[in-house]
Amino acid sequence: MSDAFAEHGPASSQPLTVRAAYIERLGPPEEIRYGDLTIAGPGFGDVLVEVEATTVNRVDTFIRSGAYRTPLPFPFVVGRDLAGTVVTAGPGALGFSPGQRVWCNSLGHAGRQGAAADRAVVPADRLYHLPPGVSPIDAVAVAHSAATAYLALFTHGRLRPGQTVVVVGGAGNVGSALVVMAADAGARVVALARPAAEDYCRSLGAAEVVDYRDDRWPDRVRRLCPDGVDLYLDTSGSNELGTAVGLLRQRGRIVLLAGRESRPVLPAWDVYTKDATVTGFVISQATTAELAEAARAVNHLLAAGWLRPRRTEVLPLAQTAEAHRRMEAGTLRSLRLVLTP
Ligand SMILES: NC(=O)c1ccc[n+]([C@@H]2O[C@H](COP(=O)([O-])OP(=O)(O)OC[C@H]3O[C@@H](n4cnc5c(N)ncnc54)[C@H](OP(=O)(O)O)[C@@H]3O)[C@@H](O)[C@H]2O)c1
């Protein structure tokens, strides 16, 4: 038993009443209630955060509906990401003190209550300092997609400077973060996007932009990358793996991260004769150490002003159910909905 544990005892806590968007059972957006809710208060190693902004990601809808199964405490406060201010940092919450601006992107799954409340309890190892001058709205709008991009590129994609990466959906939330991070790391980025988004993708650091609606896009990529592609990431979920494997160079990698319904055919011969790798990844399974490493990269790019949401719309937290409906309708494109208590 550690000294700290002996001194402060187990993580028992006083209940805490918060104003929250929550569900009492899995189901459609209509299950989301808004009102006062009593949850477990901070325990050992926890930080109590006053939430300034939260958001809705696709994964929040998967968790609310039960499409992505993970242990949840009921009633369950929805939402994964927050930015806010430290209220209290109890014993074991090293590195945090009241008044500091912070953010988190891993609440609301794996047994943890969510972020869609006026206050949230956050384990200190899942909390990061907000760089000075960065707005909580910008931070919360990019936290999920940018951390996803980092983990896909570097932890799972093993991207190195000088390598070539193809980003399908380069103008999207995850896609734009992939472009920024890969370019910042010294990779050559070929983004697939519609022509109207070409300038945007280039402004993020894409060396080449190819129109994904042109059926001949694989030929175009082949011409642009005659030695093959080191890393292929498809944020659209189309997962045309036959084409993707064909574009890879020896020891190339494909990281699957989207496309719940896709059932691609994998050309096995081409995969193994290229020593290629097809790997899957979901941020929900990332360790706290992996998330913290991603957060350092996100903070660096937020502070530099290179990582920004393309468009945001701010709604009151009371409209969380409506935000889930809009996310599920699939019409948001790169618009990020930010909710404020
Ligand atoms: N694995 C994980 O841990 C993880 C984490 C976060 C998100 N995700 C998943 O990542 C996916 C992307 O999320 P997001 O927030 O970035 O969505 P998003 O902003 O809507 O981006 C999707 C992009 O795909 C493009 N696109 C659509 N159809 C295409 C096609 N046929 N070919 C090429 N590009 C196409 C879109 O371009 P237009 O704008 O031209 O339509 C858009 O830029 C979602 O499925 C999400 O669930 C996974």
Side-chain angles (χ1 to χ4, degrees):
M1 185 188 297
S2 75
D3 289 350
F5 187 83
E7 190 180 336
H8 301 292
S12 65
S13 57
Q14 294 294 320
L16 174 76
T17 299
V18 294
R19 196 145 189 88
Y22 64 93
I23 54 173
E24 290 175 313
R25 58 179 180 213
L26 300 177
E30 293 67 41
E31 290 294 339
I32 299 177
R33 311 263 172 275
Y34 179 69
D36 287 347
L37 184 71
T38 300
I39 60 170
F44 183 79
D46 287 337
V47 178
L48 180 64
V49 177
E50 183 180 347
V51 178
E52 289 177 64
T54 179
T55 186
V56 179
N57 302 295
R58 264 194 196 78
V59 72
D60 298 318
T61 69
F62 297 157
I63 286 172
R64 188 217 67 234
S65 68
Y68 181 79
R69 291 287 174 165
T70 178
L72 303 177
F74 283 99
F76 168 66
V77 178
V78 298
R80 183 169 289 224
D81 310 330
L82 63 76
T85 305
V86 173
V87 180
T88 57
L94 298 177
F96 294 99
S97 51
Q100 291 177 333
R101 310 294 284 289
V102 288
W103 62 277
C104 169
N105 60 351
S106 56
L107 292 184
H109 65 106
R112 292 180 291 282
Q113 284 289 6
D118 59 354
R119 283 169 301 157
V121 175
V122 185
D125 59 357
R126 295 180 177 276
L127 195 63
Y128 320 113
H129 294 281
L130 188 68
V134 174
S135 97
I137 289 184
D138 281 2
V140 88
V142 302
H144 181 67
S145 41
T148 298
Y150 179 89
L151 295 168
L153 287 170
F154 304 109
T155 310
H156 298 273
R158 305 189 309 276
L159 186 67
R160 297 280 173 272
Q163 294 190 334
T164 299
V165 52
V166 166
V167 177
V168 182
N173 297 309
V174 178
S176 57
L178 285 167
V179 174
V180 168
M181 289 184 156
D184 182 56
R188 175 174 178 246
V189 182
V190 178
L192 265 66
R194 61 178 73 214
E198 174 163 354
D199 289 349
Y200 175 63
C201 289
R202 286 192 190 278
S203 77
L204 301 173
E208 310 286 352
V209 182
V210 173
D211 181 0
Y212 68 78
R213 292 174 311 165
D214 181 341
D215 291 344
R216 293 160 302 171
W217 71 258
D219 293 336
R220 181 89 204 285
V221 173
R222 224 169 269 119
R223 274 200 302 281
L224 290 168
C225 311
D227 297 329
V229 169
D230 295 284
L231 179 60
Y232 182 98
L233 298 152
D234 182 348
T235 69
S236 78
S238 306
N239 294 330
E240 293 173 33
L241 293 193
T243 302
V245 171
L247 293 172
L248 291 183
R249 71 190 303 169
Q250 204 68 16
R251 304 223 164 172
R253 283 93 58 203
I254 296 171
V255 178
L256 296 176
L257 55 84
R260 203 155 69 91
E261 309 296 336
S262 70
R263 299 286 180 273
V265 175
L266 190 65
W269 166 263
D270 295 340
V271 173
Y272 71 79
T273 58
K274 279 189 175 180
D275 280 1
T277 309
V278 180
T279 187
F281 139 75
V282 70
I283 193 171
S284 303
Q285 305 285 2
T287 65
T288 51
E290 288 169 343
L291 289 170
E293 184 182 318
R296 279 193 289 279
V298 172
N299 269 350
H300 156 67
L301 293 168
L302 276 172
W306 296 331
L307 204 52
R308 283 209 192 104
R310 201 166 168 195
R311 296 180 301 141
T312 53
E313 182 180 327
V314 179
L315 302 169
L317 190 60
Q319 289 183 23
T320 302
E322 177 59 14
H324 273 235
R325 268 191 286 275
R326 289 174 65 186
M327 174 58 79
E328 284 183 342
T331 50
L332 291 175
R333 311 238 340 243
S334 56
L335 177 67
R336 298 290 293 141
L337 298 181
V338 174
L339 298 146
T340 54

